[in-house]
Amino acid sequence: MSTTQHATHSGYDGNTGNAGHAVEPASPPPGPARTDLAFPFRIDSRGRTAEAGYDDHVRDLIEQLLFTSPGERVMHPDFGCGLLDLVFAPNSPELAATLQMSVQAALQRWLGDVIEVVSLDVESEDNVVRVELAYVVRLTGSQRQDVFEGGVAA
């Protein structure tokens, strides 16, 4: 899995350019094609480390961020959302608002240069947390809508 932070900016800054035209996503840098490791780490049918395309890699990064609790990563102790820590908290409007703000803040902080969040919905039912996220991958300009679910085994 690649945890490299992207040093290059896509060129999309959320603003409209001259005459109200949206800024186009930047083209990938010249050179060899980008290869990212699939998450979770596994061996593919060829006996090699499984790879993922860039958009799938971004989805993997989001999944890692959502289901990592702060303090799990030694070199980045504040990385993560801690969603699974709140699975058994009593459901309430306050909890829903807290989860929503926590996820939004973490996405902006850790992946704000990689994705633009279009919509976000966080639900907690019984022992499962479900995150429905619509976003744009800044580098490729592709729009995605993914559902992430995590829970604690009963």
Side-chain angles (χ1 to χ4, degrees):
M1 85 190 92
S2 173
T3 57
T4 305
Q5 290 188 346
H6 304 282
T8 60
H9 187 64
S10 67
Y12 179 80
D13 62 1
N15 297 324
T16 56
N18 295 336
H21 298 311
V23 177
E24 294 295 321
S27 59
R34 180 184 171 114
T35 302
D36 293 299
L37 300 181
F39 175 82
F41 182 82
R42 62 186 176 276
I43 304 300
D44 66 11
S45 61
R46 303 171 299 166
R48 297 180 179 178
T49 302
E51 299 174 352
Y54 185 71
D55 287 351
D56 291 331
H57 172 67
V58 169
R59 185 196 187 288
D60 293 345
L61 290 175
I62 295 168
E63 184 176 3
Q64 290 175 54
L65 176 64
L66 294 176
F67 299 116
T68 299
S69 293
E72 276 188 49
R73 295 202 175 176
V74 175
M75 299 303 286
H76 295 284
D78 50 348
F79 178 84
C81 286
L83 280 182
L84 297 182
D85 298 340
L86 300 173
V87 167
F88 290 114
N91 284 334
S92 67
E94 294 81 12
L95 176 63
T98 300
L99 287 172
Q100 190 93 9
M101 290 182 65
S102 173
V103 170
Q104 182 72 38
L107 288 169
Q108 181 62 37
R109 177 176 182 194
W110 294 101
L111 297 175
D113 60 335
V114 178
I115 65 170
E116 176 185 350
V117 175
V118 175
S119 69
L120 172 67
D121 185 38
V122 181
E123 300 173 7
S124 178
E125 299 174 358
D126 298 328
N127 62 345
V128 176
V129 174
R130 181 176 302 107
V131 177
E132 295 180 19
L133 177 64
Y135 59 97
V136 176
V137 178
R138 293 186 187 271
L139 184 64
T140 63
S142 64
Q143 297 181 355
R144 301 211 27 165
Q145 187 164 354
D146 291 318
V147 176
F148 304 89
E149 286 189 356
V152 179

